[in-house]
Amino acid sequence: MFFRFLLALSLGAGSLFAQVGSGGTPPSRLLTLRNQPPTVELPTVDVSTLLAEDALAPKDEPARFGWPTEVNLEMQTSGIRETLSDGSTLWRLRFHSPGAWSLNLVYEDFLLPVGGELFLYNDDYSMVIGAFTDSNNKVDGGFATQPVAGDAITLEYHEPAGLPYPGQFRIKRVIHAYRNLFGAEALRDYGESGSCNINVACTQGDDWRDEIRSVAMILTSGGWRICTGALVNNTAEDGTQYFLTANHCLGGETSWIFMFNYQSPFCTNSNGPTTDTVQGAILRATNTASDFALLELTEEIPDDYEVYYAGWNREDVAAESAVGIHHPSGDIKKISVENQAVISDRYLGNSGVTASHWKVSDWDEGTTEGGSSGSPLYDPQHRVIGQLHGGYAACGNNSADWYGKFAMSWDYGSSSSSRLNDWLDPLGTDPLNLDGWNPGSGLRLGLDEMELRGDTDGDGLAEPGETIQLAFRLINNGNEDLSGVTGVLSCSNEWITVTQANSNWSSIPVDDVAWCNTEFELSLSGDGPSVLDTDLLLTLSDGDMECAVSAEFSIGRVTLYTEDLEGDTSAWTHEAAEGWGDNWHLSTEESASPDHAFKCGSTTTGNYASNLDALLLSPEYLLSENCRLHFQHRMEAEASGMYADSAYDGGLLELRDAEGVWQQLFPDVGAYTHGIRGTNTGPFDGGTACWSGTTSWQESSVDLSEWDGQLVQFRFRFGSDANTADEGWYIDDLLIDGAPLGAQVQPVEDLLLTPQRNGTVLLSWGAAQSASSYRIDVCYNMGGDWLPLAETEACEWVVRQQEGVHLYRVVSLSAE
């Protein structure tokens, strides 16, 4: 676990809020520097036109507070860098955007070394944020900083001498706030939303104090629009930072900023604290039918934010009344009350999927506005039943709003990336509803590691017919040291019997881990499948409170092949489909694990080419039973900005079977995110499922059991049309697991290779004693890895003659 510390600055009226950083003072305040940083003058923003457009914007469009300017400036090639007397360096760059109430920035390729510190401040230092350090690095290299009051902002990066690598980042976007949502407090009129809106501190919020703490305002779309959403609980109640909002708010979520507790302490309008922010999120699931999006926040929420994880209700039964909590027009947090039953409806009464939304016919108290999008709707039992899609309600009218149903979002999609249940029900208990969870209470234990401590034949593999021993290491995520924790292990699988179900943990300090004192024991049926994946449930108690954690468990599954792309990759090839282009290459720009990944895109920091049908081909792999392919990948490709879930460019995965036929694979973990538009001019047919848009590094995996025993090959296929391009697609860390290929006896010693006239080579050998079959392996380079090529019961095999050095061996396999 890692920690971040909140710096809440009090430097005058302009100090609005401070992002999670490590504190400190910019060195420029303590030094006499001869040079001023260069200033980037940003283009004038046409405020009157933007305000006129905003007046006509529908509620199902995220409210806009700023206008972005793309700048694409790297620290290495911009600003001014000075060497200080102690050998450290100080880099600075200033931006000026006339008339801005505040400025905020979005970054790419953000990577700071331990010891490097980045500060941002306005001209009079009345607002300073930072220091941002290596603790703010993210896997995808994305980062964003919150609005800083004023029309000028300076970036200052200090780097001590002798660090292992220099800091780097690219400033991608600067947002000019033309609305005074985050400007100087003295000039801000809180309560800029409609006058009928009700502050959450009023009596209407008295019964909803917990739920109010779950709701946050979001700076979306790369930092220039606003939506609302809420933290939601999951069945493990383990504090996983799942955040529910609207699908139509999506775009650039890796750089989103989430502001909790932005609310007046009084019923009358007054500024609330704006210090409680975290940055960055991973999109876990989304679906346009009910307009939901589920994110996982990537920065740990500090304990002193005192957030709450809202409960939910997935029953498709109309609540007799409802409450909404939200940030209308980016204002301080408000509450709305509907005293009548909600109505099952389609969006706006005439659009989308039948019975996909809850209709609030007419708010009795309060209303919603732009900026309220994605906010939760609660039933009388204080459980979320939907999130705001849009509608016509406003102060002064009796019109309706529509909320996408939680009940539909639960399991309407066809994969984990399009429904909620895979994420919010990790225990697999499938409850109809779940109460909220307060992180300050309850038993907060998580599973850190599970270890196989013993098995019947001692080979370190859990196999059918064996008795095995398992140990669990727990982590204490709570606020107090724990002692005397007991655990009961259970499994619902018919092929597994828990024969020793109880163990205990003597002591688990806060933020520390501990192994159980004795192992749990399981008996695995010999009549079950050779490879079996199942879930184990560990129910924990300290005598006063209980919680449960789940673990995935595999019988008979071993790792067959791994490829981290750090060694010899000559067995991998890439090519263009006929008539198209190829951009695949081995890259060190970024990777899921250091230091290499295959990339389809520019060999520099530019975008991929147009008109690609680029094919990255793996080596051939011999599959055992029940295999799965796992791999890590990251995508930035052109998706449609108008048609949800549609794309013009993207990537997909294909397999060539033993008959030489290529076919598309459909992962069930990390599934495809988009479909190709029917008007697309690229290589893919309209409707083809693919990965597209912007994603951080994620794992996808696919079931290969259909091809048991076959020699297969994979290819990662990326296609682009003739228009807009983006960064591209990265592939890394492939793994295939499944049943063992067979026990190896020894390589045969009498292998003969005989060239044939038809361009093939005959491999032949004598029968080996006790061998039931033989595996042919190939090595493409001296000293390289041996890769299985085929399996046969005969004592000969034919291979094609190929250019270069190819080594072959034959391994005899036993029947056991």
Side-chain angles (χ1 to χ4, degrees), residues 144-412:
T145 45
Q146 65 187 60
V148 172
D151 65 359
I153 188 171
T154 298
L155 290 81
E156 181 172 313
Y157 173 66
H158 180 243
E159 184 171 281
L163 298 187
Y165 60 88
Q168 67 175 42
F169 54 76
R170 177 160 54 94
I171 305 167
K172 179 181 180 181
R173 182 178 302 122
V174 181
I175 293 92
H176 169 120
Y178 63 89
R179 289 181 176 273
N180 190 19
L181 299 183
F182 308 102
E185 179 179 343
L187 302 175
R188 171 95 199 274
D189 179 18
Y190 297 96
E192 289 179 352
S193 61
S195 59
C196 70
N197 280 292
I198 303 166
N199 286 329
V200 292
C202 297
T203 56
Q204 289 87 342
D206 286 349
D207 293 333
W208 299 88
R209 296 299 167 210
D210 283 339
E211 291 72 29
I212 288 167
R213 293 187 287 124
S214 71
V215 176
M217 183 165 67
I218 321 166
L219 274 64
T220 74
S221 298
W224 53 287
R225 289 184 180 272
I226 286 177
C227 280
T228 305
L231 287 168
V232 287
N233 195 14
N234 72 82
T235 56
E237 296 195 329
D238 57 3
T240 302
Q241 297 178 164
Y242 291 133
F243 190 89
L244 182 69
T245 187
N247 169 273
H248 73 263
C249 292
L250 290 178
E253 51 274 3
T254 58
S255 63
W256 283 9
I257 292 175
F258 302 81
M259 185 191 299
F260 292 92
N261 302 319
Y262 180 44
Q263 58 207 52
S264 172
F266 312 109
C267 186
T268 55
N269 287 326
S270 176
N271 187 21
T274 51
T275 55
D276 296 355
T277 63
V278 293
Q279 188 274 320
I282 299 171
L283 177 62
R284 292 304 187 192
T286 186
N287 200 309
T288 57
S290 55
D291 191 51
F292 89 88
L294 184 72
L295 309 173
E296 184 175 349
L297 308 191
T298 53
E299 272 190 350
E300 186 176 355
I301 302 172
D303 291 341
D304 57 7
Y305 289 12
E306 297 184 352
V307 298
Y308 180 77
Y309 291 77
W312 40 261
N313 181 1
R314 70 176 186 87
E315 292 187 88
D316 195 8
V317 177
E320 59 269 28
S321 62
V323 162
I325 303 173
H326 53 103
H327 286 278
S329 298
D331 204 349
I332 48 181
K333 197 178 297 179
K334 306 290 184 176
I335 188 168
S336 303
V337 179
E338 169 62 280
N339 294 319
Q340 284 71 46
V342 298
I343 299 170
S344 181
D345 199 2
R346 64 199 315 162
Y347 181 51
L348 302 179
N350 57 14
S351 179
V353 180
T354 301
S356 56
H357 286 66
W358 293 121
K359 176 183 176 182
V360 175
S361 299
D362 176 19
W363 291 107
D364 294 297
E365 298 181 82
T367 190
T368 62
E369 299 178 10
S372 303
S373 287
S375 60
L377 184 70
Y378 296 93
D379 66 13
Q381 289 72 44
H382 294 238
R383 298 167 181 151
V384 175
I385 58 174
Q387 73 291 323
L388 181 61
H389 187 169
Y392 310 113
C395 290
N397 72 25
N398 296 316
S399 298
D401 276 335
W402 284 262
Y403 288 75
K405 284 184 180 179
F406 196 99
M408 174 165 279
S409 305
W410 181 255
D411 58 3
Y412 183 77

Side-chain angles (χ1 to χ4, degrees), residues 570 778-782 802-808:
S570 59
V778 62
C779 179
Y780 293 97
N781 285 284
M782 295 294 295
Q802 302 180 57
E803 294 183 1
V805 176
H806 292 76
L807 306 177
Y808 295 95

Side-chain angles (χ1 to χ4, degrees), residues 737-798:
D737 57 16
L741 279 167
Q744 181 172 317
V745 178
Q746 60 182 1
V748 301
E749 298 179 355
D750 56 351
L751 176 63
L752 295 177
L753 280 69
T754 307
Q756 308 293 297
R757 292 183 177 180
N758 62 356
T760 62
V761 177
L762 174 66
L763 280 61
S764 59
W765 58 93
Q769 187 177 3
S770 76
S772 62
S773 61
Y774 304 90
R775 191 181 70 230
I776 299 95
D777 295 342
V778 62
C779 179
Y780 293 97
N781 285 284
M782 295 294 295
D785 295 330
W786 288 101
L787 300 174
L789 182 63
E791 187 173 330
T792 179
E793 296 180 0
C795 291
E796 61 179 25
W797 191 261
V798 175

